[in-house]
DNA sequence: TCTGGGGTCCTAGGACCC
DNA sequence: TCTGGGGTCCTAGGACCC
């Protein structure tokens, strides 16, 4: 056996972190032991289940479904509002703890990490239980640890039975432990692909593993070959310690009411552009592609993007381009969600040199000034006048102000 | 009171060039 | 007056992840 990887996954992350926080602040009930969820606020149309306790799961409550449906299944459900800055702290604390054992850590998402534990060839099980015990005792929440010789199998293993468990899934265990599982349990097989595969009789991971490569490629192209090798347990990537470059930055919001006027649409798009621009400048990046997406009252999606001749980074420019695109796609139907994002990012140093135009210079100084104030005193301190008498937030988007930008995940592990 | 927000990657089709 | 094919860039849309 060449290498050993761990995949460490927080059990019901947001809910566990709320429970740990509550208990450590004098609370007397453990949310994990009653039917409870972390969820959004339905009055602003953010009402979905973000995380659920195991007792809530027993009622059939599912992550991603509306609170309305969840409450139908379990009327006594306790609903806890989300506090993202707490989750970032909890996640950081967990990574610090794991760093006692290795510096080969890849943060895969807020509640998952991969580690290369090849140095613990002899006693990986002991190390795993030590990490799991330390997290429980010091931080107050539990994790699942999956162990294997590649990251894919480690990730599949951590998903077996929960909570607070350690599982191995080495190559010689694939046939017995992974192949009998439902095809939908395989990494990268979502609901659409699962349905497609089952339509042709491929019901388990083992069924897929034994299919013919040509047949799968002709049918499902590149993603098909990807899941085929996953089904066979083939995956070769290393833990990447260094952060990958960011490919895009975007913010979106579901509006508290259906938007029907150009004035309100403008405010939402400006608020989102403010956050996107702020994050872009914080990374010292600029963008060549600007995109707007909207979802209307009956959930139809539309999007439009444009590649510019020159990269930009000012809020005003992002907003102007986004508005042009918006006007091209909006037919006047009521809107419930806006999103503004930028991609084709490059370092802004080269651009600054070529920036001789006066408006750019002005925009830059203005943005820098506003960014500094917002970083120091918060995003509410400087507000464009258009927001003064509206109920719309002047800066819209969910990335915490002090958070570092780090890429969340890749298709390939 | 029904349905979030942050991402990455892939494909298909059209435009354009040689 | 036609016909062709490869390569690249761009956009829209969709699938998946947490």
């Amino acid at each position: 056996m060449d290498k050993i990887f761990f995949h460490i996954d927080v059990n019901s992350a947001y809910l566990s972190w709320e429970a740990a926080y509550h208990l450590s602040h004098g609370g007397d009930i453990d949310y994990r032991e009653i039917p409870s969820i972390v969820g959004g606020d339905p009055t602003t149309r953010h009402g979905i289940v973000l995380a659920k306790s195991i007792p809530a799961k027993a009622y059939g409550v599912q992550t991603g479904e509306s609170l309305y449906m969840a409450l139908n299944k379990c009327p006594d459900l306790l609903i806890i509002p989300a506090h993202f800055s707490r989750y970032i702290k909890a996640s950081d604390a967990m990574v610090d703890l794991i760093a006692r054992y290795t510096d080969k850590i890849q943060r895969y998402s807020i509640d998952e990490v991969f580690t290369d534990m090849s140095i613990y060839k002899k006693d990986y099980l002991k190390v795993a239980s030590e990490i799991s015990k330390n997290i429980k005792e010091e931080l107050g929440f539990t994790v699942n640890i999956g162990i294997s010789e590649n990251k894919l199998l480690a990730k599949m293993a951590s998903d077996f039975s929960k909570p607070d468990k350690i599982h191995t899934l080495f190559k010689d265990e694939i046939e017995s432990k992974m192949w009998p599982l439902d095809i939908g349990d395989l990494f990268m097989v979502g609901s659409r692909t699962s349905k497609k595969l089952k339509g042709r009789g491929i019901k388990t991971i083992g069924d897929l593993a034994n299919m013919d490569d040509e047949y799968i490629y002709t049918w499902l192209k590149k993603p098909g070959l990807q899941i085929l090798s996953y089904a066979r347990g083939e995956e070769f990537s290393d833990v990447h310690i260094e952060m990958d470059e960011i490919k895009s930055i975007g913010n979106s919001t579901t509006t508290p009411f259906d938007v029907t006027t150009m004035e309100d649409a403008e405010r939402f798009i400006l608020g989102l552009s403010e956050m996107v621009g702020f994050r872009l400048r914080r990374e010292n990046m600029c963008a060549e592609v600007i995109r707007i997406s909207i979802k209307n009252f009956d959930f139809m999606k539309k999007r439009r993007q444009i590649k510019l001749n020159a990269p930009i980074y000012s809020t005003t420019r992002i907003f102007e381009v986004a508005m042009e695109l918006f006007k091209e796609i909006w037919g006047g139907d009521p809107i419930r969600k806006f999103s503004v994002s930028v991609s084709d990012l490059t370092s802004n140093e080269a651009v600054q040199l070529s920036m001789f135009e006066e408006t750019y210079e002005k925009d830059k100084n203005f943005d820098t000034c506003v960014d500094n104030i917002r970083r120091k005193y918060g995003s509410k301190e400087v507000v464009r006048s258009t927001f003064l008498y509206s109920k719309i937030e002047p800066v819209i988007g969910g990335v915490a102000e002090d958070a570092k930008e780090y890429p969340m995940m890749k298709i390939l592990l």
Side-chain angles (χ1 to χ4, degrees), chain A residues 14-148:
Chain A
Y14 293 178
L15 189 104
S16 294
W17 289 334
E18 287 296 343
Y21 182 90
H22 184 65
L23 291 175
S24 69
H25 286 72
D28 48 2
I29 42 168
D30 189 334
Y31 298 148
R32 287 165 289 205
E33 289 167 6
I34 59 169
S36 69
I37 57 162
V38 172
D41 176 8
T43 63
T44 55
R45 310 205 290 189
H46 287 64
I48 65 153
V49 176
L50 297 163
K52 59 189 180 300
S53 68
I54 288 169
K57 190 181 179 181
Y59 281 87
V61 171
Q62 287 172 11
T63 303
E65 76 181 347
S66 65
L67 294 199
Y68 177 84
M69 282 168 63
L71 283 167
N72 266 342
K73 292 174 182 171
C74 177
D76 293 331
L77 198 60
L78 174 69
I79 299 170
I80 305 152
H83 302 90
F84 290 98
S85 55
R86 282 179 200 170
Y87 311 153
I88 290 167
K89 279 182 199 151
S91 175
D92 287 349
M94 180 175 81
V95 171
D96 287 347
L97 193 154
I98 296 167
R100 294 178 202 160
Y101 297 87
T102 179
D103 53 1
K104 292 187 173 159
I105 301 175
Q106 177 181 355
R107 289 184 93 144
Y108 185 63
S109 74
I110 193 160
D111 65 334
E112 287 177 46
V113 302
F114 289 102
T115 63
D116 183 332
M117 295 304 207
S118 305
I119 51 167
Y120 301 109
K121 273 219 173 74
K122 290 257 165 351
D123 50 356
Y124 56 82
L125 278 177
K126 197 175 132 255
V127 171
S129 55
E130 211 176 299
I131 290 177
S132 138
K133 179 170 155 271
N134 286 343
I135 292 176
K136 202 183 338 177
E137 287 177 1
E138 295 177 34
L139 306 177
F141 55 86
T142 62
V143 297
N144 259 37
I145 302 183
I147 305 173
S148 185

Side-chain angles (χ1 to χ4, degrees), chain A residues 221-237:
Chain A
K221 301 283 180 288
K222 220 167 150 179
L225 289 186
Q226 184 74 74
I227 55 173
L228 187 58
S229 43
Y230 287 166
R232 294 170 180 164
E234 294 161 0
E235 197 272 324
F236 306 98
S237 72

Side-chain angles (χ1 to χ4, degrees), chain A residues 350-365:
Chain A
V351 180
Q352 279 174 347
L353 293 174
S354 67
M355 269 207 184
F356 49 88
E357 283 183 50
E358 210 178 313
T359 55
Y360 281 142
E361 199 59 37
K362 255 195 243 163
D363 280 347
K364 195 183 114 192
N365 292 337

